Amino acid sequence: MLARVWSATVVGLPDAAVQESRERVKAAIRNSGFAFPMRKVTINLTPADLRKEGPSFDLPISVGILAASEQIDPLLLGDYLFLGEMSLDGSLRPIAGVLPMAAVAVKLGFKGIVLPKANAQEAAVVQGLEVYGLNNLDEVAQFLQEPEKFSAKGKYRGRFRASFCFDG
């Protein structure tokens, strides 16, 4: 019997930190109680001509994989910008540059932003954006299943997109 092997490829000018997210994401998904798909995963970060830097892509990559593997409902994904570095245990770690990213989220028409709790206060400065500061991947999944159970911080009532496909 052959063992099932997974592999992940990140395309779209990722820097070293984004490339390293493959291992962080795999561990975080598994350690959060989800199944990591045992097949080839292609993570396409667009636009291809703009370099993607830093660990802030960990959370959106994880959410995309969970949605593509039908472990979470993808219905709300287009309404929210997801940002955050993830620890191997699935907890969300703060990232740099949240304020300008939140401002761009409003300009791009996002309803809200989901990011590490430690960054929520900074993002809440931006008017017109619901801010959800969460602690870990499991909370993010719960938010996507039952958003009405969460309250937004700073509830003042793109260009980056990620797409995923499974090969094989």
Side-chain angles (χ1 to χ4, degrees):
M1 187 155 107
L2 296 173
R4 294 182 71 177
V5 178
W6 82 278
S7 69
T9 304
V10 182
V11 297
L13 281 182
D15 74 353
V18 177
Q19 284 289 357
E20 290 170 2
S21 71
R22 293 179 300 185
E23 296 304 320
R24 286 192 304 272
V25 164
K26 179 183 176 190
I29 286 174
R30 285 187 168 167
N31 291 330
S32 297
F34 297 100
F36 193 89
M38 294 306 290
R39 54 184 116 162
K40 184 173 180 179
V41 177
T42 300
I43 303 159
N44 181 24
L45 303 173
T46 61
D49 62 339
L50 187 59
R51 187 141 186 91
K52 313 325 174 285
E53 299 176 347
S56 61
F57 289 91
D58 290 1
L59 179 59
I61 289 171
S62 298
V63 168
I65 289 171
L66 292 177
S69 61
E70 300 178 347
Q71 295 180 73
I72 61 171
D73 188 349
L75 182 65
L76 299 176
L77 295 186
D79 294 338
Y80 296 92
L81 178 63
F82 295 86
L83 299 169
E85 179 180 356
M86 291 188 3
S87 295
L88 299 179
D89 66 359
S91 60
L92 298 178
R93 299 177 51 140
I95 56 171
V98 167
L99 185 58
M101 288 187 272
V104 169
V106 171
K107 287 184 181 182
L108 292 175
F110 285 100
K111 178 179 179 179
I113 187 169
V114 177
L115 71 174
K117 192 172 198 171
N119 292 117
Q121 188 170 348
E122 179 182 357
V125 170
V126 177
Q127 292 189 9
L129 191 66
E130 294 178 7
V131 177
Y132 294 90
L134 303 177
N135 294 306
N136 54 52
L137 182 58
D138 186 53
E139 282 185 9
V140 174
Q142 289 175 29
F143 168 76
L144 288 168
Q145 299 304 113
E146 300 177 291
E148 67 279 356
K149 292 188 176 181
F150 291 79
S151 60
K153 182 175 188 71
K155 195 172 172 183
Y156 297 112
R157 303 260 203 222
R159 187 142 159 87
F160 285 113
R161 295 185 57 99
S163 59
F164 301 85
C165 69
F166 294 121
D167 301 331

